[in-house]
Amino acid sequence: MSVVVDGLEGLRVPEELSARVPAEQRGPGRGRDDVRLLVSRGEAVSHHAFRELPALLRAGDVLVVNTSPTLAAAVDGRLGPEPGGEPVVVHFSTRGDDGRWAVELRSPEPSGSTRPRAGGPAGAVVRLPGGGRLALAGPLTPGSGRLWWARAYGDVPGLLGRYGRPIRYGYTERDQPLSAYQTVFARPSPDGGGSAEMPSAGRPFTAGLVAELAARGVWIAPLSLHTGVASAEAHEPPYPERFEVPAATAALVNAARATGGRVIAVGTTVVRALESAAVAGPTGAGASARAGRGWTDLVVTPARGVRVVDGLLTGLHEPEASHLLMLEAVAGRAALRSAYAAAVRDRYLWHEFGDVHLLLPEEKGHRVRCGSNSG
């Protein structure tokens, strides 16, 4: 799927706008919430510190958050027969219902990051630390060799716990501990599952900020979607992912919509999960959220639109990223074009440790107070 957002085709994000370390490592006394917040209401843009978020929401709004924990999903391995073999880094993406894992094999870089490599070959064995093995079966999707199904021999959660590290891409400066990739909302999964990559929109939240939101009457509603390995270079649409929307969250979303509250998704993963469980109402009636669990292959596009999500808090995405289709579905093309031009002009930071973007419904006659321009 190609991404076509009018006005973004020529947008280039300078390399120096990549966030290379977490916010709390950029200076003394800084915390996770020391990032900037770009706010869009239609084509109107305002600049804030993330700590101003409670003042930008209202009593009765619902923030829906992803509680999936981040896994130490990158493990070193060797492809081929002993001794030696090609060094590879295995990114464990998603565990299938049949026990197999979707994995991405990448080539290690001297800097500690990785670069893409061709997938496979079928039938090859990857030797893992501690005596583990992966047997490659075939591509997850015919015609795309990035992710492959593999049969794991050994305890994969145990392997990740002992030898794994968080997935890291070349724009970051150095390896970080797994704790740097856990959000304040993360909760352990009973089966040891989790996300291959951090649900990063929730990263700037702190316990103190959550308490302030609650004091102002903003509800926090949980769900889970275990994210797979992103297509960092090719910008492919997301693959099927496992999700669960609890009945209590669906009820809270529906109650907010019935009483004038806004449903704000914290991250594109939340939009995917909520919209996967949404059901259209009778003719003339709005859609509603419902409880649901399982696998979703939904790709939210402007043509499909959104049914129960009113706004979105998300990071800043590459101009070619498939996620931009979802942002356009939530806020419209003009809002996206205006926001991304402002983000580059005002030197916002990109990627999982970067600044964040709040897309809110346009309100006629509503004047937005412009806050701090630094975070």
Side-chain angles (χ1 to χ4, degrees), residues 128 172 205 211 252 345:
L128 300 171
T172 56
F205 286 85
L252 191 55
R345 182 179 63 246

Side-chain angles (χ1 to χ4, degrees), residues 331-350:
R333 179 171 296 180
L336 197 56
R337 184 172 57 230
S338 177
Y340 271 65
V344 172
R345 182 179 63 246
D346 289 284
R347 302 188 66 78
Y348 278 69
L349 295 181
W350 258 252

